[in-house]
Amino acid sequence: MKKIFNKDFKFFLILFILVFSIVLYFTINNILFLNKSVEVYGEIVEVIIDRSDDPITQQPVYKFTDRNGNEHRIKATFSSNLTSHEVGDLVKINYDPQRPETAKIANIMDTWGVYIIGAFILAVIFVLSLNPEITHNLQIGKKKKSNE
């Protein structure tokens, strides 16, 4: 009887299911957050520059006032070398009234960045799992290493 799935396909399938489950879990949590969040304007009060990375990255720190009049100061979720924020900029903020410390700048990277990256990883895993030439080359690579 001919094998339908080789070991590499099974590996990529399990990896795909695992990564898909993780991305799905966090995506659902993000959607729930966005559904209950309140949108306000905040102000960039600091931009932290990290010179230890190459390229140099920047992480904005913003403050906003919640609907109860309490002021919060929070670092953005991501640091990036593409940050275009400067001190004094006004930015839209999404925050959960029950947990304002979980606020996020309402931009594509802070709101959906992790999910976009996760979807890209899923696409790569999916393509790798379906392409028999890649899995065949992986098997040849294993055989070469075992013969050495």
Side-chain angles (χ1 to χ4, degrees), residues 43-49 58-63 73-76 83 85-89 105:
E43 179 184 355
I44 302 295
V45 293
E46 181 182 0
V47 177
I48 299 169
I49 298 173
Q58 299 178 358
Q59 184 176 24
V61 178
Y62 54 91
K63 71 176 181 179
R73 183 182 170 109
I74 299 177
K75 276 189 211 176
T83 302
H85 299 297
E86 295 180 14
V87 174
D89 286 352
I105 294 178

Side-chain angles (χ1 to χ4, degrees), residues 116-139:
I116 293 168
I117 293 166
F120 177 76
I121 292 169
L122 280 172
V124 169
I125 293 169
F126 185 72
V127 168
L128 288 174
S129 70
L130 292 180
N131 190 332
E133 187 174 312
I134 292 172
T135 55
H136 177 72
N137 289 340
L138 287 173
Q139 289 173 346

Side-chain angles (χ1 to χ4, degrees), residues 89-107:
D89 286 352
L90 290 180
V91 290
K92 284 185 183 177
I93 308 288
N94 290 323
Y95 79 94
D96 178 351
Q98 303 296 324
R99 298 178 53 222
E101 69 278 2
T102 62
K104 299 177 186 179
I105 294 178
N107 65 21

